[in-house]
Amino acid sequence: MPSPLEVTKTTTTAPAAPAPFFPRRTAGRTGLALFLNAGDPPLPVLRDLVLMLDEEGVDCLELAVPFPDSVTDGAVVRRSASRALARGGAGLDDVLAFVADVRPKLAHTRIALLTDWRYSLGHRDLAAATRDIAAAGADGLLIHALPPRLRTAHLESAAEAQLPVVTTCYANSPAQTQAQAAARASAYLYLVAHYGRSGTAPAAGHAALAQTVAGLRAHTDSPIAVGFGVSTRRHVEAVGAAGADAAIIGSAAVAAVEAAQEAGHDVPEAFRAFVRQVRPEQPS
């Protein structure tokens, strides 16, 4: 749904051994990641929402530093980014200060930060930015539209900062591309269910990704999470049936925030209802 800053006067150190993403797959439970743009809802409201996610046992928040004109996002996510940018106060420095404040309060939920290369990182020193992101307390990093020539530098900077990385590939990517993405994942591998914009589902359904997921397992010990077109409990269950460790819900999560704001509802509580609606029943 894909840096240095001085973390707004807040000092935190990166954990020596970052906690794993989606740790409970072995118990028969499909993990859940939710995508939101920082600043939509506004950061004070988002803080309460993130604390609620932790209460509900949501595994991961994919938190995007908002950026305009994403070519991979559908209309719902693009409207969300536009709202966040129009409000202001959700640039990379602001978001890192937010993460530094909220992350120590979370017992279960991990934060994977998504930043766009051109909008948020391209004018910064990559190694210093990565250190700042790790110091803020992010559990993982996904860089959107990273130039291929910088891939090695990104991986080296992340390793030096002890910051796990999220890598991506498409279900229809060439086998070599899939293998490389899987091998480089240290937070988790984001398997994009099909080529297109976020919010659209694969024609054959998510369960049809089983062979792809099995093939990726040969190249990584990191979790595999499937996104694009995941919006219901049935979709999450289908992702689990395909053998993936987690499902990523993006556009539907953003739409739930949008609807709550437009209706004047309590956004964290409205989003709690959404989480309970899409999360599969816990195994007994």
Side-chain angles (χ1 to χ4, degrees), residues 199-219:
T200 57
H206 296 92
L209 297 171
Q211 185 173 352
T212 301
V213 172
L216 290 167
R217 291 281 182 211
H219 303 286

mmCIF file with all atom_site columns, all heavy atoms in Angstrom, residues 199-219:
data_model
loop_
_atom_site.group_PDB
_atom_site.id
_atom_site.type_symbol
_atom_site.label_atom_id
_atom_site.label_alt_id
_atom_site.label_comp_id
_atom_site.label_asym_id
_atom_site.label_entity_id
_atom_site.label_seq_id
_atom_site.pdbx_PDB_ins_code
_atom_site.Cartn_x
_atom_site.Cartn_y
_atom_site.Cartn_z
_atom_site.occupancy
_atom_site.B_iso_or_equiv
_atom_site.pdbx_formal_charge
_atom_site.auth_seq_id
_atom_site.auth_comp_id
_atom_site.auth_asym_id
_atom_site.auth_atom_id
_atom_site.pdbx_PDB_model_num
ATOM 1   N N   . GLY A 1 199 ? -6.392  -2.478  -3.952  1.00 0.00 ? 199 GLY A N   1
ATOM 2   C CA  . GLY A 1 199 ? -7.845  -2.523  -3.828  1.00 0.00 ? 199 GLY A CA  1
ATOM 3   C C   . GLY A 1 199 ? -8.520  -3.446  -4.817  1.00 0.00 ? 199 GLY A C   1
ATOM 4   O O   . GLY A 1 199 ? -9.719  -3.687  -4.729  1.00 0.00 ? 199 GLY A O   1
ATOM 5   N N   . THR A 1 200 ? -7.773  -3.971  -5.780  1.00 0.00 ? 200 THR A N   1
ATOM 6   C CA  . THR A 1 200 ? -8.339  -4.884  -6.765  1.00 0.00 ? 200 THR A CA  1
ATOM 7   C C   . THR A 1 200 ? -7.865  -6.296  -6.468  1.00 0.00 ? 200 THR A C   1
ATOM 8   O O   . THR A 1 200 ? -6.722  -6.522  -6.079  1.00 0.00 ? 200 THR A O   1
ATOM 9   C CB  . THR A 1 200 ? -7.925  -4.485  -8.188  1.00 0.00 ? 200 THR A CB  1
ATOM 10  O OG1 . THR A 1 200 ? -6.487  -4.457  -8.277  1.00 0.00 ? 200 THR A OG1 1
ATOM 11  C CG2 . THR A 1 200 ? -8.464  -3.106  -8.534  1.00 0.00 ? 200 THR A CG2 1
ATOM 12  N N   . ALA A 1 201 ? -8.752  -7.269  -6.646  1.00 0.00 ? 201 ALA A N   1
ATOM 13  C CA  . ALA A 1 201 ? -8.471  -8.649  -6.257  1.00 0.00 ? 201 ALA A CA  1
ATOM 14  C C   . ALA A 1 201 ? -8.047  -9.486  -7.458  1.00 0.00 ? 201 ALA A C   1
ATOM 15  O O   . ALA A 1 201 ? -8.441  -9.208  -8.599  1.00 0.00 ? 201 ALA A O   1
ATOM 16  C CB  . ALA A 1 201 ? -9.709  -9.262  -5.607  1.00 0.00 ? 201 ALA A CB  1
ATOM 17  N N   . PRO A 1 202 ? -7.267  -10.545 -7.233  1.00 0.00 ? 202 PRO A N   1
ATOM 18  C CA  . PRO A 1 202 ? -6.897  -11.444 -8.333  1.00 0.00 ? 202 PRO A CA  1
ATOM 19  C C   . PRO A 1 202 ? -8.107  -12.232 -8.823  1.00 0.00 ? 202 PRO A C   1
ATOM 20  O O   . PRO A 1 202 ? -8.947  -12.645 -8.020  1.00 0.00 ? 202 PRO A O   1
ATOM 21  C CB  . PRO A 1 202 ? -5.851  -12.359 -7.695  1.00 0.00 ? 202 PRO A CB  1
ATOM 22  C CG  . PRO A 1 202 ? -6.150  -12.336 -6.235  1.00 0.00 ? 202 PRO A CG  1
ATOM 23  C CD  . PRO A 1 202 ? -6.670  -10.953 -5.948  1.00 0.00 ? 202 PRO A CD  1
ATOM 24  N N   . ALA A 1 203 ? -8.182  -12.426 -10.115 1.00 0.00 ? 203 ALA A N   1
ATOM 25  C CA  . ALA A 1 203 ? -9.351  -13.086 -10.696 1.00 0.00 ? 203 ALA A CA  1
ATOM 26  C C   . ALA A 1 203 ? -9.558  -14.489 -10.153 1.00 0.00 ? 203 ALA A C   1
ATOM 27  O O   . ALA A 1 203 ? -10.700 -14.929 -9.946  1.00 0.00 ? 203 ALA A O   1
ATOM 28  C CB  . ALA A 1 203 ? -9.208  -13.118 -12.221 1.00 0.00 ? 203 ALA A CB  1
ATOM 29  N N   . ALA A 1 204 ? -8.479  -15.219 -9.908  1.00 0.00 ? 204 ALA A N   1
ATOM 30  C CA  . ALA A 1 204 ? -8.600  -16.608 -9.462  1.00 0.00 ? 204 ALA A CA  1
ATOM 31  C C   . ALA A 1 204 ? -8.748  -16.742 -7.949  1.00 0.00 ? 204 ALA A C   1
ATOM 32  O O   . ALA A 1 204 ? -8.901  -17.851 -7.432  1.00 0.00 ? 204 ALA A O   1
ATOM 33  C CB  . ALA A 1 204 ? -7.382  -17.401 -9.938  1.00 0.00 ? 204 ALA A CB  1
ATOM 34  N N   . GLY A 1 205 ? -8.704  -15.634 -7.242  1.00 0.00 ? 205 GLY A N   1
ATOM 35  C CA  . GLY A 1 205 ? -8.811  -15.694 -5.784  1.00 0.00 ? 205 GLY A CA  1
ATOM 36  C C   . GLY A 1 205 ? -7.458  -15.898 -5.122  1.00 0.00 ? 205 GLY A C   1
ATOM 37  O O   . GLY A 1 205 ? -6.500  -16.360 -5.745  1.00 0.00 ? 205 GLY A O   1
ATOM 38  N N   . HIS A 1 206 ? -7.380  -15.572 -3.836  1.00 0.00 ? 206 HIS A N   1
ATOM 39  C CA  . HIS A 1 206 ? -6.111  -15.625 -3.120  1.00 0.00 ? 206 HIS A CA  1
ATOM 40  C C   . HIS A 1 206 ? -5.648  -17.045 -2.825  1.00 0.00 ? 206 HIS A C   1
ATOM 41  O O   . HIS A 1 206 ? -4.448  -17.304 -2.735  1.00 0.00 ? 206 HIS A O   1
ATOM 42  C CB  . HIS A 1 206 ? -6.223  -14.819 -1.827  1.00 0.00 ? 206 HIS A CB  1
ATOM 43  C CG  . HIS A 1 206 ? -6.450  -13.353 -2.054  1.00 0.00 ? 206 HIS A CG  1
ATOM 44  N ND1 . HIS A 1 206 ? -7.716  -12.810 -2.116  1.00 0.00 ? 206 HIS A ND1 1
ATOM 45  C CD2 . HIS A 1 206 ? -5.581  -12.330 -2.263  1.00 0.00 ? 206 HIS A CD2 1
ATOM 46  C CE1 . HIS A 1 206 ? -7.615  -11.496 -2.334  1.00 0.00 ? 206 HIS A CE1 1
ATOM 47  N NE2 . HIS A 1 206 ? -6.338  -11.181 -2.421  1.00 0.00 ? 206 HIS A NE2 1
ATOM 48  N N   . ALA A 1 207 ? -6.571  -17.977 -2.687  1.00 0.00 ? 207 ALA A N   1
ATOM 49  C CA  . ALA A 1 207 ? -6.177  -19.354 -2.405  1.00 0.00 ? 207 ALA A CA  1
ATOM 50  C C   . ALA A 1 207 ? -5.375  -19.961 -3.550  1.00 0.00 ? 207 ALA A C   1
ATOM 51  O O   . ALA A 1 207 ? -4.593  -20.888 -3.345  1.00 0.00 ? 207 ALA A O   1
ATOM 52  C CB  . ALA A 1 207 ? -7.410  -20.213 -2.105  1.00 0.00 ? 207 ALA A CB  1
ATOM 53  N N   . ALA A 1 208 ? -5.564  -19.399 -4.758  1.00 0.00 ? 208 ALA A N   1
ATOM 54  C CA  . ALA A 1 208 ? -4.839  -19.908 -5.929  1.00 0.00 ? 208 ALA A CA  1
ATOM 55  C C   . ALA A 1 208 ? -3.355  -19.570 -5.890  1.00 0.00 ? 208 ALA A C   1
ATOM 56  O O   . ALA A 1 208 ? -2.593  -20.015 -6.756  1.00 0.00 ? 208 ALA A O   1
ATOM 57  C CB  . ALA A 1 208 ? -5.458  -19.345 -7.206  1.00 0.00 ? 208 ALA A CB  1
ATOM 58  N N   . LEU A 1 209 ? -2.921  -18.807 -4.873  1.00 0.00 ? 209 LEU A N   1
ATOM 59  C CA  . LEU A 1 209 ? -1.507  -18.439 -4.760  1.00 0.00 ? 209 LEU A CA  1
ATOM 60  C C   . LEU A 1 209 ? -0.687  -19.508 -4.049  1.00 0.00 ? 209 LEU A C   1
ATOM 61  O O   . LEU A 1 209 ? 0.501   -19.313 -3.805  1.00 0.00 ? 209 LEU A O   1
ATOM 62  C CB  . LEU A 1 209 ? -1.376  -17.116 -4.003  1.00 0.00 ? 209 LEU A CB  1
ATOM 63  C CG  . LEU A 1 209 ? -2.006  -15.888 -4.663  1.00 0.00 ? 209 LEU A CG  1
ATOM 64  C CD1 . LEU A 1 209 ? -1.983  -14.709 -3.697  1.00 0.00 ? 209 LEU A CD1 1
ATOM 65  C CD2 . LEU A 1 209 ? -1.275  -15.540 -5.949  1.00 0.00 ? 209 LEU A CD2 1
ATOM 66  N N   . ALA A 1 210 ? -1.287  -20.633 -3.719  1.00 0.00 ? 210 ALA A N   1
ATOM 67  C CA  . ALA A 1 210 ? -0.604  -21.658 -2.917  1.00 0.00 ? 210 ALA A CA  1
ATOM 68  C C   . ALA A 1 210 ? 0.706   -22.106 -3.551  1.00 0.00 ? 210 ALA A C   1
ATOM 69  O O   . ALA A 1 210 ? 1.726   -22.253 -2.867  1.00 0.00 ? 210 ALA A O   1
ATOM 70  C CB  . ALA A 1 210 ? -1.528  -22.853 -2.693  1.00 0.00 ? 210 ALA A CB  1
ATOM 71  N N   . GLN A 1 211 ? 0.712   -22.325 -4.853  1.00 0.00 ? 211 GLN A N   1
ATOM 72  C CA  . GLN A 1 211 ? 1.939   -22.795 -5.504  1.00 0.00 ? 211 GLN A CA  1
ATOM 73  C C   . GLN A 1 211 ? 3.027   -21.725 -5.451  1.00 0.00 ? 211 GLN A C   1
ATOM 74  O O   . GLN A 1 211 ? 4.206   -22.029 -5.225  1.00 0.00 ? 211 GLN A O   1
ATOM 75  C CB  . GLN A 1 211 ? 1.647   -23.180 -6.954  1.00 0.00 ? 211 GLN A CB  1
ATOM 76  C CG  . GLN A 1 211 ? 2.845   -23.783 -7.674  1.00 0.00 ? 211 GLN A CG  1
ATOM 77  C CD  . GLN A 1 211 ? 2.485   -24.299 -9.057  1.00 0.00 ? 211 GLN A CD  1
ATOM 78  O OE1 . GLN A 1 211 ? 1.321   -24.347 -9.454  1.00 0.00 ? 211 GLN A OE1 1
ATOM 79  N NE2 . GLN A 1 211 ? 3.501   -24.691 -9.815  1.00 0.00 ? 211 GLN A NE2 1
ATOM 80  N N   . THR A 1 212 ? 2.631   -20.469 -5.631  1.00 0.00 ? 212 THR A N   1
ATOM 81  C CA  . THR A 1 212 ? 3.605   -19.375 -5.549  1.00 0.00 ? 212 THR A CA  1
ATOM 82  C C   . THR A 1 212 ? 4.195   -19.269 -4.151  1.00 0.00 ? 212 THR A C   1
ATOM 83  O O   . THR A 1 212 ? 5.412   -19.127 -3.978  1.00 0.00 ? 212 THR A O   1
ATOM 84  C CB  . THR A 1 212 ? 2.937   -18.047 -5.930  1.00 0.00 ? 212 THR A CB  1
ATOM 85  O OG1 . THR A 1 212 ? 2.411   -18.146 -7.255  1.00 0.00 ? 212 THR A OG1 1
ATOM 86  C CG2 . THR A 1 212 ? 3.924   -16.896 -5.866  1.00 0.00 ? 212 THR A CG2 1
ATOM 87  N N   . VAL A 1 213 ? 3.337   -19.340 -3.139  1.00 0.00 ? 213 VAL A N   1
ATOM 88  C CA  . VAL A 1 213 ? 3.813   -19.264 -1.756  1.00 0.00 ? 213 VAL A CA  1
ATOM 89  C C   . VAL A 1 213 ? 4.772   -20.414 -1.456  1.00 0.00 ? 213 VAL A C   1
ATOM 90  O O   . VAL A 1 213 ? 5.842   -20.215 -0.863  1.00 0.00 ? 213 VAL A O   1
ATOM 91  C CB  . VAL A 1 213 ? 2.629   -19.271 -0.768  1.00 0.00 ? 213 VAL A CB  1
ATOM 92  C CG1 . VAL A 1 213 ? 3.118   -19.391 0.674   1.00 0.00 ? 213 VAL A CG1 1
ATOM 93  C CG2 . VAL A 1 213 ? 1.785   -18.008 -0.935  1.00 0.00 ? 213 VAL A CG2 1
ATOM 94  N N   . ALA A 1 214 ? 4.410   -21.606 -1.890  1.00 0.00 ? 214 ALA A N   1
ATOM 95  C CA  . ALA A 1 214 ? 5.277   -22.762 -1.653  1.00 0.00 ? 214 ALA A CA  1
ATOM 96  C C   . ALA A 1 214 ? 6.630   -22.585 -2.327  1.00 0.00 ? 214 ALA A C   1
ATOM 97  O O   . ALA A 1 214 ? 7.675   -22.932 -1.758  1.00 0.00 ? 214 ALA A O   1
ATOM 98  C CB  . ALA A 1 214 ? 4.590   -24.035 -2.152  1.00 0.00 ? 214 ALA A CB  1
ATOM 99  N N   . GLY A 1 215 ? 6.640   -22.025 -3.529  1.00 0.00 ? 215 GLY A N   1
ATOM 100 C CA  . GLY A 1 215 ? 7.901   -21.791 -4.221  1.00 0.00 ? 215 GLY A CA  1
ATOM 101 C C   . GLY A 1 215 ? 8.769   -20.777 -3.508  1.00 0.00 ? 215 GLY A C   1
ATOM 102 O O   . GLY A 1 215 ? 10.000  -20.919 -3.446  1.00 0.00 ? 215 GLY A O   1
ATOM 103 N N   . LEU A 1 216 ? 8.162   -19.749 -2.942  1.00 0.00 ? 216 LEU A N   1
ATOM 104 C CA  . LEU A 1 216 ? 8.918   -18.719 -2.233  1.00 0.00 ? 216 LEU A CA  1
ATOM 105 C C   . LEU A 1 216 ? 9.540   -19.256 -0.950  1.00 0.00 ? 216 LEU A C   1
ATOM 106 O O   . LEU A 1 216 ? 10.595  -18.785 -0.518  1.00 0.00 ? 216 LEU A O   1
ATOM 107 C CB  . LEU A 1 216 ? 8.006   -17.534 -1.914  1.00 0.00 ? 216 LEU A CB  1
ATOM 108 C CG  . LEU A 1 216 ? 7.561   -16.701 -3.119  1.00 0.00 ? 216 LEU A CG  1
ATOM 109 C CD1 . LEU A 1 216 ? 6.426   -15.764 -2.728  1.00 0.00 ? 216 LEU A CD1 1
ATOM 110 C CD2 . LEU A 1 216 ? 8.734   -15.912 -3.699  1.00 0.00 ? 216 LEU A CD2 1
ATOM 111 N N   . ARG A 1 217 ? 8.896   -20.226 -0.330  1.00 0.00 ? 217 ARG A N   1
ATOM 112 C CA  . ARG A 1 217 ? 9.408   -20.794 0.919   1.00 0.00 ? 217 ARG A CA  1
ATOM 113 C C   . ARG A 1 217 ? 10.821  -21.348 0.762   1.00 0.00 ? 217 ARG A C   1
ATOM 114 O O   . ARG A 1 217 ? 11.592  -21.376 1.711   1.00 0.00 ? 217 ARG A O   1
ATOM 115 C CB  . ARG A 1 217 ? 8.493   -21.930 1.390   1.00 0.00 ? 217 ARG A CB  1
ATOM 116 C CG  . ARG A 1 217 ? 7.128   -21.509 1.855   1.00 0.00 ? 217 ARG A CG  1
ATOM 117 C CD  . ARG A 1 217 ? 7.172   -20.966 3.253   1.00 0.00 ? 217 ARG A CD  1
ATOM 118 N NE  . ARG A 1 217 ? 5.818   -20.615 3.682   1.00 0.00 ? 217 ARG A NE  1
ATOM 119 C CZ  . ARG A 1 217 ? 5.530   -19.638 4.514   1.00 0.00 ? 217 ARG A CZ  1
ATOM 120 N NH1 . ARG A 1 217 ? 6.513   -18.902 5.004   1.00 0.00 ? 217 ARG A NH1 1
ATOM 121 N NH2 . ARG A 1 217 ? 4.290   -19.385 4.861   1.00 0.00 ? 217 ARG A NH2 1
ATOM 122 N N   . ALA A 1 218 ? 11.135  -21.797 -0.421  1.00 0.00 ? 218 ALA A N   1
ATOM 123 C CA  . ALA A 1 218 ? 12.463  -22.377 -0.646  1.00 0.00 ? 218 ALA A CA  1
ATOM 124 C C   . ALA A 1 218 ? 13.569  -21.337 -0.559  1.00 0.00 ? 218 ALA A C   1
ATOM 125 O O   . ALA A 1 218 ? 14.748  -21.702 -0.453  1.00 0.00 ? 218 ALA A O   1
ATOM 126 C CB  . ALA A 1 218 ? 12.496  -23.062 -2.010  1.00 0.00 ? 218 ALA A CB  1
ATOM 127 N N   . HIS A 1 219 ? 13.194  -20.056 -0.577  1.00 0.00 ? 219 HIS A N   1
ATOM 128 C CA  . HIS A 1 219 ? 14.203  -18.995 -0.648  1.00 0.00 ? 219 HIS A CA  1
ATOM 129 C C   . HIS A 1 219 ? 14.231  -18.095 0.578   1.00 0.00 ? 219 HIS A C   1
ATOM 130 O O   . HIS A 1 219 ? 15.042  -17.165 0.627   1.00 0.00 ? 219 HIS A O   1
ATOM 131 C CB  . HIS A 1 219 ? 13.962  -18.140 -1.895  1.00 0.00 ? 219 HIS A CB  1
ATOM 132 C CG  . HIS A 1 219 ? 13.965  -18.921 -3.166  1.00 0.00 ? 219 HIS A CG  1
ATOM 133 N ND1 . HIS A 1 219 ? 15.117  -19.415 -3.734  1.00 0.00 ? 219 HIS A ND1 1
ATOM 134 C CD2 . HIS A 1 219 ? 12.940  -19.327 -3.970  1.00 0.00 ? 219 HIS A CD2 1
ATOM 135 C CE1 . HIS A 1 219 ? 14.814  -20.077 -4.849  1.00 0.00 ? 219 HIS A CE1 1
ATOM 136 N NE2 . HIS A 1 219 ? 13.502  -20.029 -5.013  1.00 0.00 ? 219 HIS A NE2 1
#
